[in-house]
Amino acid sequence: MTVEADGREMHALVKRLYPICRSITGDGVRRTLDIVGESVPLEISEVPTGTEVLDWTVPREWNIRDAYIKDASGARVVDFAESNLHVVGYSVPVSATMTLDELREHLHTLPGQPGLIPYRTSYYAETWGFCLRENTLATLGDGPYEVLIDSTLADGHLTYGEYVVPGRVADEVLVSCHVCHPSLANDNLAGIAVATRLARRLAETAPWYTYRFLFTPGTIGAITWLARNRERVEQVKHGLVLACAGDSGVLTYKRSRQGNAEIDRVVRYVLRTSGRDHEIVDFSPYGYDERQFCSPGFNLPVGSLTRTPYAGYPEYHTSADDPDFVSPEAMADTLETCWEVTRVLERNRHYLNLSPYGEPQLGRRGLYGSLGGRSDTRQTQMAMLWVLNLSDGEHSLLDIAERSHLPFAAVADAAQALRGAGLVKEWR
Amino acid sequence: MTVEADGREMHALVKRLYPICRSITGDGVRRTLDIVGESVPLEISEVPTGTEVLDWTVPREWNIRDAYIKDASGARVVDFAESNLHVVGYSVPVSATMTLDELREHLHTLPGQPGLIPYRTSYYAETWGFCLRENTLATLGDGPYEVLIDSTLADGHLTYGEYVVPGRVADEVLVSCHVCHPSLANDNLAGIAVATRLARRLAETAPWYTYRFLFTPGTIGAITWLARNRERVEQVKHGLVLACAGDSGVLTYKRSRQGNAEIDRVVRYVLRTSGRDHEIVDFSPYGYDERQFCSPGFNLPVGSLTRTPYAGYPEYHTSADDPDFVSPEAMADTLETCWEVTRVLERNRHYLNLSPYGEPQLGRRGLYGSLGGRSDTRQTQMAMLWVLNLSDGEHSLLDIAERSHLPFAAVADAAQALRGAGLVKEWR
Amino acid sequence: MTVEADGREMHALVKRLYPICRSITGDGVRRTLDIVGESVPLEISEVPTGTEVLDWTVPREWNIRDAYIKDASGARVVDFAESNLHVVGYSVPVSATMTLDELREHLHTLPGQPGLIPYRTSYYAETWGFCLRENTLATLGDGPYEVLIDSTLADGHLTYGEYVVPGRVADEVLVSCHVCHPSLANDNLAGIAVATRLARRLAETAPWYTYRFLFTPGTIGAITWLARNRERVEQVKHGLVLACAGDSGVLTYKRSRQGNAEIDRVVRYVLRTSGRDHEIVDFSPYGYDERQFCSPGFNLPVGSLTRTPYAGYPEYHTSADDPDFVSPEAMADTLETCWEVTRVLERNRHYLNLSPYGEPQLGRRGLYGSLGGRSDTRQTQMAMLWVLNLSDGEHSLLDIAERSHLPFAAVADAAQALRGAGLVKEWR
């Protein structure tokens, strides 16, 4: 499949998922996981309301069928059917008639972006509300208005999905994306689409690492997974949180809390050597689920890859974050970057030089050009000399690539050739 | 008391102390400490001549009543009464008549600054001499001259003063200034004035640390204190040597020998975040009594705060370093900086997150805004997230403030709120 | 002897050695070592063909008497007597008549440098060949040609030379240069000349370190020495590989594999403080015999000093690298640099302050000016204060010189004076 086809496929998925009203629980998440499951077979977990997860408790499940504000003429001046952003997430049911003045404390607008609907939620404080365009609000008369939110907030479940590509080792690479946002394309349907496509591509290989893809509601979903997988956490050797994967900005990598973990170095290496414009920023305890994976008790080597980062673009958390805001090309570029990251992770090893005293005689092993004196020594031979020189158990192949300024693949190929000749062995 | 009033009070103290002829011993030091003692109750130590202190011996006590060079007409061409700088410090008594040629080896001038009297001493080599303006020397005829130094150099004592503000812990912050210079305002009456005012202000608080203020003669005084307080030295956790505290230059902080001690980091933080122009320079084994506190055997975390540093201005060690050379504003600025340093030192702690697996749910503890989705998260919440994330026992609040780019006070307030909620505990 | 005379003497040696046909074995190496032995008494080692040395085996010995390509008229169109570069090093004997077409696969030229003869070898793959100017090749008709290489490749020996200047300690400084290249002046007759002259100059001193000079064939020679001196390797505390020592480029120091060994710091210090333009580059496992000394099993602190580095100039490994390409001035400059490096190495020590609590009273020991108050403190006194302050066993004199920005010699002199006064002792 070409890069272009990948991009088209991911964009089609974004458009298909866009209308669904997702939240941290409820049928929107289930429908979303069903659709992702058409591409990769997901294992679905349903965790009951009231389950204690770390410092949190799984909340009641929220579902919504309809919501509106009707004026005296019966016209829906705000209509959930037009955009699910119109309702504050987790709004309790309401059915009432009230004046604009009474209604006003339940209305949220963006005065600075009067044409856009904001995205708001209130998961843990029982309330209700509507989000609307400031422009709409300006046209509203004193009322009265008929206000309806046909939602339910009841015992149920929190739902998340997992997909595992088994590797040759139990050590895991975690790829996580949040599935709790309603009609917002970049945040995070693009991340879901890239994760899904990456999972399918990895499934076509026989990878070294086990790759675990998590499709979970933000915060409470990651916390729930962590709470139910305490023993598995130690197997997570590398990880990426994918979000905002489709806008037109440059790629941004936010380091793990550890700051110089292997994933941090690999992503930096890929971004630098690919020639892509990019940003690398330090960890901060805000943003997406890296907040949970990088809490001090877990402190996992999990970074976050986005294009324009969290809250960094004016369309963020508004109705302008629609499918036109993300492009097939940008998602394909994010996907390729993730893929290249796995290409380095998969081969990055420590080798041990078994003939460390002086250089071994490469020539008699057919590993070295026979005619001396020439100064145009080839990359292959330089890569072998570097691998031999630095394979003291302390340097990984990535260390060697960075120090030698040779491509990682050339260094890894050299290590493979030297291993074939019995000159190095895999160390760790 | 306003900053302006602080400045005026300190300048008045400088003017009052200025005429006194101080040296490393003698009544000038005693009178100086008496005057400082009017502001803060000093404990005075008198250490007898001949006492062995580290590698040194307390010298004989020097006092002087009068000194002059009279010409044939009986006019005092050089007169101690006009400026105590005219006599080389620790000059032995002399009463003689001699020609200019005979006198010349005892005369010190500054040919490059012909209108200024230099400051010279000879503590440990018995001699005598006069310091005068090059312009004065140029007018002197062949003589003979009547030369008198009415001084005594006799067994007595070395005098120093201490003032302690008791804290909640025995750990000490040492603030030291030298009191051995005669009529020199910036070096070091301004330092004495700032230390006195800082001591009084701290005494009005109930500080965490115990603050010890030392008013000692330079070098031999610090050495004497160190020799007599070997057991106390280990309690010194932070320290500042104050000197040259009143000139118009920018603040200069000279790091401790350790180079990255907490005091070094705190002063740097205060200077950077206050927006003040400033300089930070590495330790060198020259200057003021940081030389002794930072000798390798003690290696105390003691830095030095000055405005223009040691020997860095043309008025240094000349009669131009008079009360007009220092300003109330500059001394007030130095005082405020010292005060801000204590504000950070007092609150800088390591906390331990008691709920380190995932983020604790701040919302149900009333520590987090209830309406999600908004991107203008407030500084208070960010500070809590940072404190939680980095309170693993390894990071101090100052570390967290520096890494998060949040104000130290906001971080310290967040830690206090989290401690109140039982989410963190004080660690060290 | 003046620097100019040193330069002239080294250049004369280069010219005398230039015509000899050297290789990794054979009489050319022996004649070269004989000539070097006229300046310093070399110990010669002869290692038999077939001896196993680390991963290698000493090859058969190669000698050559004549070689040519004659055209139909009997004229030598390529003649070993004109330049020994004309024959591929280690060519097996051949005597045949063949057309240009048949001959062509045995001919090597430099199409981009048509007037120059390249230098080629084939030590470990049995073959033969001629190197010639592209311009010459262009004039050759179809043939036939009479082709002769009168060489022998037979059991014999590998030859190398050593010269040791005994020191007060057994710890060694290794200076190594390769002696296997035929008529190439910069690579490496200039290196041989500098090493020879440096050895003679050191022999006139009573050095602290033992200095070992190695004159060995490249690669196999260094490997042979290492294989036969496994026990001695641990005594090598510092080392330099000398090559390309006479061209007009700036000095280039290539760090040891360790990267921050004492030799790396000393050479950097000498280059920086001498005011010479220079380059310092990181270690790479290519170039000269630092490849062997810095293989991971040995990992010796051996750097490489050249002017223009390995393969970095168009004359490299061509007939243009002749005695005119190297200058007496450049070789003298390389020699002086090496000498200055030994001046720092010889005196660089760790001292321990025996009076570390406060400053010792330098004045009563005659080490300090008696008249206080002057700000023009002299370098000598500053050097003493720095040595006292940092002589805690952790800092070498070079550390102190770098931190204080004082000349190394001033710091070393200060340490000597303080040691004389019993204030410091040599530590390590």
Side-chain angles (χ1 to χ4, degrees):
Chain A
M1 186 179 266
T2 65
V3 170
E4 288 73 21
D6 278 329
R8 281 193 304 272
E9 180 179 296
M10 291 187 285
H11 201 251
L13 181 59
V14 166
K15 283 194 281 196
R16 192 168 161 212
L17 294 172
Y18 184 71
I20 301 169
C21 181
R22 279 164 294 270
S23 187
I24 54 173
T25 59
D27 289 331
V29 173
R30 291 190 189 93
R31 281 201 296 279
T32 299
L33 298 179
D34 282 349
I35 293 170
V36 169
E38 295 172 16
S39 295
V40 290
L42 291 186
E43 180 185 340
I44 303 295
S45 296
E46 294 278 357
V47 184
T49 295
T51 305
E52 302 212 340
V53 286
L54 304 179
D55 188 60
W56 302 60
T57 305
V58 172
R60 284 181 291 169
E61 181 176 328
W62 184 70
N63 284 288
I64 181 167
R65 284 156 295 279
D66 194 9
Y68 55 76
I69 301 173
K70 272 186 191 166
D71 65 15
S73 75
R76 294 186 168 201
V77 297
V78 175
D79 188 357
F80 176 72
E82 182 227 345
S83 168
N84 55 44
L85 297 183
H86 274 314
V87 176
V88 169
Y90 259 64
S91 281
V92 294
V94 63
S95 174
T97 301
M98 51 181 75
T99 64
L100 180 60
D101 268 3
E102 290 165 332
L103 187 51
R104 205 177 282 275
E105 68 174 294
H106 295 280
L107 301 183
H108 305 277
T109 66
L110 293 168
Q113 296 170 296
L116 303 183
I117 312 166
Y119 165 53
R120 294 287 180 270
T121 66
S122 182
Y123 302 133
Y124 299 101
E126 274 196 20
T127 185
W128 60 269
F130 286 89
C131 298
L132 66 160
R133 296 175 182 86
E134 176 72 18
N135 289 344
T136 302
L137 179 59
T139 66
L140 297 188
D142 292 342
Y145 292 94
E146 184 191 337
V147 176
L148 177 94
I149 297 181
D150 178 12
S151 66
T152 47
L153 192 56
D155 283 358
H157 295 83
L158 176 142
T159 313
Y160 64 82
E162 283 175 274
Y163 174 57
V164 174
V165 184
R168 275 184 279 163
V169 294
D171 290 346
E172 293 196 357
V173 179
L174 190 71
V175 179
S176 170
C177 56
H178 61 284
V179 297
C180 53
H181 285 190
S183 291
L184 295 167
N186 197 39
D187 180 15
N188 190 31
L189 301 178
I192 294 169
V194 169
T196 302
R197 191 72 201 84
L198 178 66
R200 217 171 72 197
R201 199 188 279 186
L202 280 162
E204 292 159 9
T205 69
W208 175 261
Y209 286 111
T210 294
Y211 287 80
R212 179 175 302 272
F213 289 81
L214 294 187
F215 299 85
T216 62
T219 305
I220 186 68
I223 283 169
T224 301
W225 185 87
L226 284 163
R228 303 175 85 217
N229 291 274
R230 295 288 286 253
E231 83 296 335
R232 197 184 299 283
V233 161
E234 293 193 5
Q235 284 171 236
V236 176
K237 302 304 178 194
H238 321 284
L240 278 180
V241 171
L242 288 180
C244 302
D247 68 80
S248 62
V250 304
L251 283 160
T252 302
Y253 179 67
K254 174 178 159 181
R255 298 174 196 276
S256 75
R257 182 180 183 274
Q258 295 180 23
N260 201 25
E262 188 173 344
I263 186 68
D264 300 318
R265 295 192 51 219
V266 169
V267 178
R268 183 184 64 182
Y269 178 81
V270 165
L271 289 172
R272 281 191 187 166
T273 57
S274 71
R276 285 173 176 94
D277 277 347
H278 66 274
E279 295 281 339
I280 294 177
V281 300
D282 283 339
F283 177 75
S284 70
Y286 206 61
Y288 297 103
D289 284 331
E290 66 274 13
R291 292 164 67 161
Q292 311 308 329
F293 300 123
C294 297
S295 56
F298 294 115
N299 197 25
L300 295 179
V302 174
S304 168
L305 188 67
T306 60
R307 301 195 72 84
T308 304
Y310 180 87
Y313 44 97
E315 296 83 358
Y316 175 80
H317 279 195
T318 75
S319 51
D321 182 4
D322 63 19
D324 290 340
F325 182 63
V326 301
S327 72
E329 295 72 24
M331 286 189 281
D333 183 59
T334 307
L335 173 66
E336 286 310 307
T337 300
C338 292
W339 178 251
E340 291 165 26
V341 166
T342 67
R343 293 314 85 195
V344 177
L345 277 178
E346 285 282 302
R347 301 185 78 186
N348 191 29
R349 296 278 188 292
H350 289 70
Y351 287 86
L352 197 66
N353 182 342
L354 299 171
S355 181
Y357 294 97
E359 287 173 16
Q361 196 181 1
L362 298 176
R364 66 174 157 89
R365 295 175 175 91
L367 296 173
Y368 208 79
S370 59
L371 189 71
R374 297 171 58 107
S375 55
D376 59 341
T377 306
R378 285 159 298 156
Q379 178 173 288
T380 306
Q381 293 183 11
M382 285 306 296
M384 283 191 288
L385 292 176
W386 274 107
V387 170
L388 286 167
N389 193 270
L390 292 181
S391 286
D392 53 6
E394 298 299 311
H395 299 88
S396 70
L397 296 185
L398 179 61
D399 292 330
I400 297 172
E402 290 195 325
R403 183 144 163 198
S404 68
H405 302 290
L406 293 168
F408 177 83
V411 169
D413 289 348
Q416 200 170 328
L418 291 167
R419 191 186 179 189
L423 286 170
V424 301
K425 71 171 180 185
E426 209 172 303
W427 185 237
R428 62 177 170 100
Chain B
M1 188 178 263
T2 64
V3 170
E4 289 71 23
D6 278 328
R8 283 194 303 272
E9 180 180 297
M10 290 187 285
H11 201 251
L13 181 59
V14 166
K15 284 194 280 196
R16 190 167 161 213
L17 295 171
Y18 182 71
I20 300 170
C21 182
R22 279 163 295 270
S23 187
I24 55 172
T25 60
D27 289 332
V29 173
R30 290 188 189 94
R31 279 201 297 279
T32 299
L33 297 180
D34 282 349
I35 292 169
V36 169
E38 295 172 15
S39 294
V40 289
L42 292 186
E43 179 185 340
I44 304 295
S45 296
E46 295 277 356
V47 184
T49 295
T51 305
E52 303 212 341
V53 285
L54 303 179
D55 188 61
W56 302 60
T57 305
V58 171
R60 285 182 290 169
E61 181 176 328
W62 184 67
N63 284 290
I64 182 167
R65 285 154 296 277
D66 195 10
Y68 56 76
I69 302 174
K70 273 189 190 163
D71 66 13
S73 77
R76 292 184 169 204
V77 297
V78 175
D79 187 358
F80 176 73
E82 181 227 347
S83 168
N84 55 44
L85 298 183
H86 274 312
V87 175
V88 169
Y90 259 64
S91 281
V92 296
V94 62
S95 176
T97 301
M98 50 182 74
T99 64
L100 181 59
D101 267 2
E102 291 165 331
L103 188 50
R104 205 177 282 272
E105 68 175 293
H106 297 278
L107 300 184
H108 305 278
T109 66
L110 293 168
Q113 296 170 296
L116 303 183
I117 311 166
Y119 165 54
R120 294 287 179 269
T121 65
S122 184
Y123 301 133
Y124 299 102
E126 272 197 23
T127 183
W128 60 270
F130 286 87
C131 298
L132 66 161
R133 297 176 182 86
E134 176 73 17
N135 289 344
T136 303
L137 178 59
T139 66
L140 297 187
D142 292 342
Y145 291 95
E146 185 190 337
V147 175
L148 177 94
I149 297 182
D150 178 14
S151 66
T152 46
L153 193 54
D155 283 357
H157 295 82
L158 175 141
T159 312
Y160 65 82
E162 281 175 277
Y163 174 58
V164 174
V165 184
R168 275 183 280 162
V169 294
D171 290 346
E172 293 196 357
V173 179
L174 191 71
V175 179
S176 169
C177 56
H178 61 284
V179 297
C180 53
H181 285 191
S183 292
L184 296 167
N186 197 40
D187 179 14
N188 190 34
L189 301 178
I192 294 168
V194 169
T196 302
R197 191 71 201 83
L198 179 65
R200 216 170 72 196
R201 199 188 279 186
L202 281 163
E204 292 159 8
T205 70
W208 176 260
Y209 286 111
T210 294
Y211 287 80
R212 180 174 301 271
F213 289 81
L214 294 186
F215 299 85
T216 61
T219 306
I220 186 67
I223 283 168
T224 300
W225 185 86
L226 284 164
R228 302 177 84 217
N229 292 275
R230 296 289 285 256
E231 83 296 336
R232 197 183 299 281
V233 161
E234 294 192 4
Q235 284 171 236
V236 176
K237 301 305 178 193
H238 320 283
L240 280 179
V241 170
L242 289 180
C244 301
D247 68 80
S248 61
V250 304
L251 282 160
T252 302
Y253 179 67
K254 174 179 162 181
R255 297 175 197 275
S256 75
R257 181 180 184 274
Q258 296 181 23
N260 201 26
E262 188 173 344
I263 186 68
D264 299 318
R265 297 191 50 220
V266 169
V267 178
R268 183 184 63 183
Y269 179 82
V270 165
L271 289 173
R272 281 189 185 167
T273 57
S274 72
R276 287 175 174 93
D277 278 346
H278 65 273
E279 296 279 340
I280 294 178
V281 299
D282 282 339
F283 177 75
S284 69
Y286 206 63
Y288 297 102
D289 284 330
E290 66 273 15
R291 293 165 67 160
Q292 310 308 328
F293 300 123
C294 297
S295 56
F298 294 115
N299 197 26
L300 295 179
V302 174
S304 168
L305 188 67
T306 61
R307 301 195 72 86
T308 304
Y310 180 87
Y313 44 96
E315 297 83 357
Y316 175 80
H317 279 195
T318 74
S319 51
D321 181 4
D322 63 19
D324 289 341
F325 182 63
V326 301
S327 73
E329 293 74 23
M331 285 188 281
D333 182 60
T334 307
L335 172 65
E336 286 310 308
T337 300
C338 292
W339 178 251
E340 291 165 28
V341 166
T342 67
R343 291 315 85 193
V344 178
L345 277 179
E346 285 282 303
R347 299 185 79 186
N348 191 30
R349 297 277 188 293
H350 289 71
Y351 286 87
L352 196 66
N353 182 341
L354 298 172
S355 182
Y357 294 97
E359 286 174 14
Q361 194 180 3
L362 298 176
R364 66 173 156 89
R365 295 175 175 92
L367 296 173
Y368 208 78
S370 59
L371 189 71
R374 298 170 57 106
S375 55
D376 58 339
T377 307
R378 284 160 296 155
Q379 176 172 290
T380 306
Q381 293 183 11
M382 286 306 296
M384 283 191 287
L385 292 176
W386 275 106
V387 170
L388 286 168
N389 192 269
L390 293 180
S391 286
D392 53 7
E394 298 299 311
H395 299 89
S396 71
L397 296 184
L398 180 61
D399 293 330
I400 297 172
E402 290 194 326
R403 185 145 163 197
S404 67
H405 303 289
L406 292 168
F408 176 83
V411 169
D413 289 348
Q416 200 169 329
L418 291 167
R419 191 186 180 190
L423 286 170
V424 301
K425 71 172 179 184
E426 208 172 304
W427 184 238
R428 62 178 170 98
Chain C
M1 187 179 264
T2 64
V3 169
E4 289 73 21
D6 279 328
R8 282 194 304 272
E9 181 180 295
M10 291 186 285
H11 200 251
L13 181 59
V14 167
K15 284 194 279 195
R16 192 169 162 211
L17 295 172
Y18 182 71
I20 300 169
C21 182
R22 279 164 294 269
S23 188
I24 54 173
T25 59
D27 289 332
V29 173
R30 291 190 188 94
R31 280 202 296 279
T32 299
L33 297 179
D34 282 349
I35 292 169
V36 169
E38 295 173 14
S39 295
V40 290
L42 292 186
E43 179 185 342
I44 303 295
S45 295
E46 295 276 359
V47 184
T49 295
T51 305
E52 301 212 342
V53 286
L54 304 178
D55 188 61
W56 302 60
T57 306
V58 172
R60 285 182 291 169
E61 181 176 328
W62 184 68
N63 284 290
I64 182 166
R65 284 154 296 279
D66 196 8
Y68 55 75
I69 301 173
K70 272 188 191 165
D71 66 14
S73 77
R76 293 185 168 203
V77 297
V78 175
D79 187 358
F80 175 73
E82 182 226 346
S83 167
N84 54 43
L85 298 183
H86 274 313
V87 175
V88 169
Y90 259 64
S91 282
V92 296
V94 63
S95 175
T97 301
M98 51 182 75
T99 64
L100 181 59
D101 267 1
E102 291 165 332
L103 188 51
R104 206 177 280 274
E105 69 173 293
H106 296 279
L107 300 184
H108 305 277
T109 66
L110 292 168
Q113 296 171 297
L116 304 183
I117 311 166
Y119 165 55
R120 294 286 180 270
T121 65
S122 183
Y123 301 133
Y124 299 102
E126 273 197 21
T127 185
W128 60 269
F130 285 89
C131 298
L132 66 161
R133 296 174 182 86
E134 176 73 17
N135 289 343
T136 303
L137 179 59
T139 66
L140 297 187
D142 292 339
Y145 292 94
E146 184 191 338
V147 176
L148 178 94
I149 297 181
D150 178 13
S151 67
T152 48
L153 192 55
D155 284 357
H157 295 82
L158 175 142
T159 312
Y160 64 81
E162 283 176 276
Y163 174 58
V164 174
V165 183
R168 274 183 280 163
V169 295
D171 290 345
E172 292 196 358
V173 179
L174 191 71
V175 179
S176 170
C177 56
H178 61 285
V179 297
C180 53
H181 285 190
S183 291
L184 295 167
N186 197 39
D187 180 15
N188 189 31
L189 301 178
I192 295 169
V194 169
T196 303
R197 190 70 202 86
L198 178 65
R200 216 171 71 196
R201 199 189 278 187
L202 281 162
E204 291 160 10
T205 69
W208 175 260
Y209 286 111
T210 294
Y211 287 80
R212 180 174 302 270
F213 289 81
L214 294 186
F215 298 86
T216 62
T219 306
I220 186 67
I223 283 169
T224 300
W225 184 86
L226 284 164
R228 302 177 85 216
N229 292 275
R230 295 288 285 253
E231 83 297 334
R232 197 183 299 282
V233 161
E234 293 193 5
Q235 283 171 238
V236 176
K237 302 304 179 195
H238 321 283
L240 279 180
V241 170
L242 289 180
C244 302
D247 68 79
S248 61
V250 304
L251 283 160
T252 301
Y253 179 68
K254 175 178 160 182
R255 297 175 196 275
S256 76
R257 182 179 183 277
Q258 295 180 23
N260 202 26
E262 188 173 343
I263 186 69
D264 299 318
R265 297 192 50 218
V266 168
V267 178
R268 182 185 66 183
Y269 179 82
V270 165
L271 289 173
R272 281 190 185 167
T273 57
S274 72
R276 286 174 174 95
D277 278 346
H278 65 273
E279 295 280 341
I280 294 178
V281 299
D282 282 339
F283 177 76
S284 69
Y286 205 63
Y288 297 103
D289 283 330
E290 67 274 13
R291 292 165 67 162
Q292 309 309 328
F293 300 123
C294 297
S295 57
F298 294 115
N299 198 25
L300 295 179
V302 173
S304 167
L305 188 67
T306 61
R307 302 195 71 87
T308 305
Y310 180 87
Y313 44 96
E315 297 83 358
Y316 175 80
H317 278 195
T318 75
S319 52
D321 182 4
D322 63 19
D324 289 341
F325 182 63
V326 300
S327 73
E329 294 73 23
M331 286 189 282
D333 182 58
T334 308
L335 173 66
E336 286 310 308
T337 300
C338 292
W339 178 251
E340 290 165 27
V341 166
T342 67
R343 291 315 85 194
V344 177
L345 277 179
E346 286 281 305
R347 300 186 79 186
N348 191 30
R349 297 277 189 294
H350 289 71
Y351 285 86
L352 197 66
N353 181 342
L354 299 172
S355 181
Y357 293 98
E359 287 174 14
Q361 195 180 4
L362 298 175
R364 67 173 156 87
R365 295 175 174 90
L367 297 173
Y368 209 79
S370 59
L371 189 69
R374 297 170 60 105
S375 54
D376 59 339
T377 307
R378 284 160 297 154
Q379 176 173 290
T380 307
Q381 292 184 12
M382 285 306 296
M384 283 190 288
L385 292 176
W386 275 105
V387 170
L388 285 168
N389 192 271
L390 292 181
S391 286
D392 52 7
E394 298 298 313
H395 298 89
S396 71
L397 296 185
L398 180 61
D399 293 330
I400 297 172
E402 291 194 326
R403 182 145 165 197
S404 67
H405 303 289
L406 293 168
F408 177 83
V411 169
D413 289 348
Q416 200 170 330
L418 291 167
R419 190 187 181 188
L423 287 171
V424 301
K425 72 171 177 184
E426 208 171 304
W427 184 237
R428 62 178 170 100

